[in-house]
């Protein structure tokens, strides 16, 4: 691993323990759909929160380099038996499939959690966002553009999150 990958890896695993049967959870959703909030809740259950926006901002990475780095780090986390939650838009099938393939080649479990948040709630959250290390202000035009390119996940091991109650159902699903 490169120095930057190693630095990110070491920061991510603080307070996490290795597992016998590790899992990759890929979050999918529009900006402000609740992905990071969902990931933070899941991280309390021994999941490494690979928070894309935070890492990209902290290390000033462009998308292409970030995706290459993400694959490298997620592969390393899975190979070392950590549970991982990949918190990124992941709005394109090809990108999601690339990350699913990493885990599947390693015989790890993969789940896709699609946060299907109504547009009015997304826009309400957008209006109140406070920019910080893990959050970025995104214009309505950009949200609309992402929405127009959005490919809804279909297939096996895909779970749609429509409300907060779905978190516990999802947690029970991935534990079995």
């Amino acid at each position: 691993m490169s120095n930057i990958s190693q630095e990110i890896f070491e920061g991510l695993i603080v307070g996490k323990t290795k597992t016998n049967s590790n899992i990759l959870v890929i979050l999918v959703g529009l900006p402000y759909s609740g992905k990071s909030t969902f990931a933070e809740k899941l991280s309390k259950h021994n999941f490494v929160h690979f928070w894309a926006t935070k890492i990209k901002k902290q290390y000033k990475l462009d998308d292409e380099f970030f995706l290459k780095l993400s694959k490298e780090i997620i592969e390393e986390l899975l190979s070392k038996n950590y549970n991982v939650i990949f918190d990124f838009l992941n709005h394109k099938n090809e990108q999601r499939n690339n990350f699913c393939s990493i885990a599947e080649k390693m015989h790890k479990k993969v789940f896709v959690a699609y946060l299907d948040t109504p547009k009015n709630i997304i826009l309400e959250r957008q209006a109140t966002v406070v920019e910080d290390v893990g959050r970025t202000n995104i214009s309505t035009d950009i949200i609309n553009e992402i929405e127009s390119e959005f490919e809804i996940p279909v297939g096996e091991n895909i779970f749609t999150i429509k409300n907060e109650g779905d978190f516990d159902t999802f947690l029970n699903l991935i534990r079995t």
Side-chain angles (χ1 to χ4, degrees):
M1 279 201 315
S2 66
N3 289 341
I4 190 169
S5 295
Q6 188 64 38
E7 183 179 326
I8 293 168
F9 175 88
E10 289 173 6
L12 290 170
I13 62 171
V14 172
K16 302 300 177 195
T17 56
K18 296 177 180 186
T19 65
N20 291 331
S21 172
N22 59 324
I23 299 167
L24 173 62
V25 174
I26 299 171
L27 294 183
V28 178
L30 291 172
Y32 309 112
S33 61
K35 295 179 303 296
S36 297
T37 301
F38 186 90
E40 284 296 292
K41 281 179 78 171
L42 195 54
S43 74
K44 293 176 182 167
H45 297 272
N46 197 38
F47 275 79
V48 172
H49 182 184
F50 193 94
W51 194 343
T53 303
K54 189 174 187 177
I55 293 168
K56 281 178 64 176
K57 283 178 79 170
Q58 184 175 351
Y59 292 91
K60 298 174 178 56
L61 305 173
D62 65 46
D63 283 346
E64 186 178 334
F65 184 71
F66 169 75
L67 286 171
K68 180 179 178 266
L69 196 70
S70 298
K71 289 174 187 173
E72 182 180 329
I73 295 168
I74 289 173
E75 187 171 358
E76 185 71 10
L77 287 164
L78 292 172
S79 74
K80 302 280 190 207
N81 294 323
Y82 289 99
N83 291 325
V84 181
I85 184 160
F86 184 39
D87 177 4
F88 196 45
L89 290 173
N90 294 308
H91 65 297
K92 298 281 195 163
N93 288 325
E94 181 180 5
Q95 182 178 318
R96 288 190 297 268
N97 292 339
N98 287 337
F99 284 95
C100 285
S101 293
I102 291 169
E104 289 166 352
K105 285 178 188 169
M106 301 172 77
H107 307 287
K108 308 297 182 178
K109 293 181 187 175
V110 183
F111 295 91
V112 174
Y114 166 43
L115 282 83
D116 185 13
T117 307
K119 184 81 174 273
N120 64 313
I121 293 174
I122 286 171
L123 295 176
E124 286 172 14
R125 292 174 180 168
Q126 175 205 26
T128 60
V129 74
V130 176
E131 189 156 338
D132 64 17
V133 175
R135 307 221 187 276
T136 301
N137 290 320
I138 299 171
S139 72
T140 303
D141 288 342
I142 298 289
I143 292 171
N144 290 336
E145 181 182 331
I146 293 167
E147 183 180 36
S148 73
E149 298 172 349
F150 199 91
E151 297 170 1
I152 294 173
V154 292
E156 294 182 20
N157 295 326
I158 295 171
F159 192 84
T160 301
I161 309 293
K162 290 189 176 265
N163 58 55
E164 288 189 34
D166 288 340
F167 177 83
D168 291 330
T169 305
F170 180 76
L171 187 58
N172 289 333
L173 170 77
I174 64 175
R175 285 183 169 166
T176 58

